[in-house]
Structure formats: C-alpha cells, structure tokens
C-alpha cells in the first residue's frame, strides 16, 4: 500500500500497522495511531482498532483493525456490522459474505484497505481480492509495518504466554523501524 495515489490522481489518507495475536484463549488486535497522506503525518492518534456491533445484540463481541485508506476502512467496518446483524453474529460467515461483496460489488471493489477481525473463535484477515485468511499459528499483521510486527511477534511467541504483551512489544518494534507507524497503540481484547 505504498502507492498512495488513487486512480483518480488524488492522494489518500492511509492508516498503517495492525497486528492480531491469538494465544491461550485470548485474542488481541493492536494498531498504531498514525495516519499518513503521502509522506506527511496527518494524524498521530487515530483509532484504527475497535469493537464492532456494540449497539447490536452481540454487543462488541467482534474486534477489528484496518490498514489502508481511512474512509474505505470505515465503509468496511459498517458493512461488516451489517453482515454480523444479518448472520446472527457469526463472524466467519459474515466475513466470507463481506469478502464476496468486496470482490464483486462495483463500488466496494475500489476500496483500498485490509482488515483483521476476530471473535472468541477465530482470527481472520480480509482482503479486497475476496480472501478470508485464518493465519497459521494465531499471529497475523497488515499494513506498512506489518512485516516488522509479524516478525517480532513470531520471535516473541516462544517466550511469552500473554497475547497482549506479544502484540504491544511487536508494535513497539514496528514503530521503531517503519516510518509510517508510531508508538500510540490502541488495543482491543476478546
């Protein structure tokens, strides 16, 4: 997602690093607070990780984080909430249906974002290609600092039992290396 110019020639705002860690019955999604437009930091304290469906019958049993174009991600959050309502809070089914729409719908197909979503049962990565991926080993990361956070988390996994500690330390490593990632971390836990 380093090409920050959309097909219409306008520079878009982008959010960056998100990590998901599932370990010992605890699932954590953490994200940094930086939103960039091109090479400029536009906002240092954005909230890119949140609970989904807090007003619905499931009352925040799903957590999600995004990397990519900010407005696009909010559209996807809203669509995921609707799918969760439609499919009685079943995250996997809702994610598959959202991914289908994302790939085939003319409007959604142009959205530039990736999402990590989780509930008590599963941790998933959703892409605009229609992919719904369940990471092997319970650790995944997306965004410009995603590979740094993923590497750090995998190295920590053998030595640390707490998913939140792994996620926070991995985000700290990504913030030290990636210029599009900062150390203002938001964490949601299930």
């Amino acid at each position: 997602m380093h090409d920050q110019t959309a097909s219409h020639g306008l520079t878009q705002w982008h959010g960056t690093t998100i990590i998901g860690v599932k370990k010992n019955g605890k699932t954590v999604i953490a994200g940094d607070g930086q939103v960039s437009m091109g090479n400029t930091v536009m906002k240092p304290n954005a909230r890119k990780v949140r609970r989904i469906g807090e007003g619905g019958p499931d009352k925040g049993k799903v957590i999600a984080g995004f990397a990519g174009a900010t407005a696009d991600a909010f559209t996807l959050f809203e669509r995921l909430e609707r799918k969760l309502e439609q499919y009685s809070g079943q995250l996997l089914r809702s994610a598959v249906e959202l991914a289908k729409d994302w790939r085939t719908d003319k409007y959604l197909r142009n959205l530039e974002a990736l999402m990590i979503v989780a509930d008590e049962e599963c941790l998933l990565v959703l892409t605009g290609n229609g992919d719904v991926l369940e990471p092997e080993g319970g650790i995944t990361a997306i965004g410009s600092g995603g590979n740094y956070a993923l590497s750090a988390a995998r190295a920590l996994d053998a030595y640390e039992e707490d998913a939140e500690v792994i996620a926070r330390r991995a985000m700290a490593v990504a913030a030290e290396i990636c210029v599009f990632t900062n150390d203002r971390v938001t964490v949601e836990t299930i």
Side-chain angles (χ1 to χ4, degrees), residues 23-24 152-162 165-166 169:
K23 187 169 186 172
N24 296 330
R154 285 189 178 167
L156 289 166
D157 187 45
Y159 305 100
E160 178 58 56
E161 294 302 314
D162 188 298
V165 171
I166 293 170
R169 287 182 181 165

Side-chain angles (χ1 to χ4, degrees), residues 35-55:
V35 174
S36 304
M37 186 165 67
N39 292 325
T40 304
V41 175
M42 298 302 293
K43 185 171 183 174
N45 60 347
R47 185 175 164 87
K48 296 180 269 182
V49 175
R50 59 188 58 209
R51 291 190 175 274
I52 300 286
E54 288 186 281

Side-chain angles (χ1 to χ4, degrees), residues 3-189:
D3 178 15
Q4 307 222 337
T5 305
S7 59
H8 46 73
L10 298 175
T11 302
Q12 293 192 358
W13 294 31
H14 282 267
T16 52
T17 306
I18 305 293
I19 188 165
V21 180
K22 183 177 183 71
K23 187 169 186 172
N24 296 330
K26 184 177 181 181
T27 303
V28 174
I29 297 179
D32 74 311
Q34 184 168 309
V35 174
S36 304
M37 186 165 67
N39 292 325
T40 304
V41 175
M42 298 302 293
K43 185 171 183 174
N45 60 347
R47 185 175 164 87
K48 296 180 269 182
V49 175
R50 59 188 58 209
R51 291 190 175 274
I52 300 286
E54 288 186 281
D58 294 311
K59 304 222 189 241
K61 291 182 180 175
V62 172
I63 54 177
F66 74 87
T70 307
D72 293 353
F74 289 121
T75 299
L76 292 169
F77 278 147
E78 289 172 9
R79 295 282 180 126
L80 180 58
E81 281 184 323
R82 281 191 240 145
K83 293 293 182 188
L84 286 164
E85 288 172 15
Q86 184 179 354
Y87 296 106
S88 305
Q90 298 174 50
L91 178 58
L92 184 56
R93 173 88 190 270
S94 300
V96 168
E97 294 301 323
L98 175 63
K100 282 182 194 176
D101 290 352
W102 194 354
R103 193 181 87 225
T104 59
D105 182 272
K106 189 175 184 179
Y107 169 72
L108 292 178
R109 205 176 2 198
N110 293 317
L111 299 183
E112 296 180 16
L114 293 168
M115 294 178 72
I116 296 176
V117 297
D119 64 7
E120 289 180 346
E121 314 260 321
C122 58
L123 174 66
L124 305 168
V125 177
L126 308 179
T127 75
N129 296 329
D131 297 319
V132 177
L133 307 168
E134 190 164 11
E136 215 172 297
I139 300 173
T140 191
I142 57 175
S144 60
N147 287 337
Y148 306 118
L150 180 62
S151 297
R154 285 189 178 167
L156 289 166
D157 187 45
Y159 305 100
E160 178 58 56
E161 294 302 314
D162 188 298
E164 184 171 342
V165 171
I166 293 170
R168 286 185 181 277
R169 287 182 181 165
M171 288 299 298
V173 168
E176 289 176 7
I177 299 170
C178 179
V179 297
F180 294 106
T181 304
N182 71 14
D183 61 359
R184 297 186 188 177
V185 176
T186 301
V187 175
E188 289 289 349
T189 302

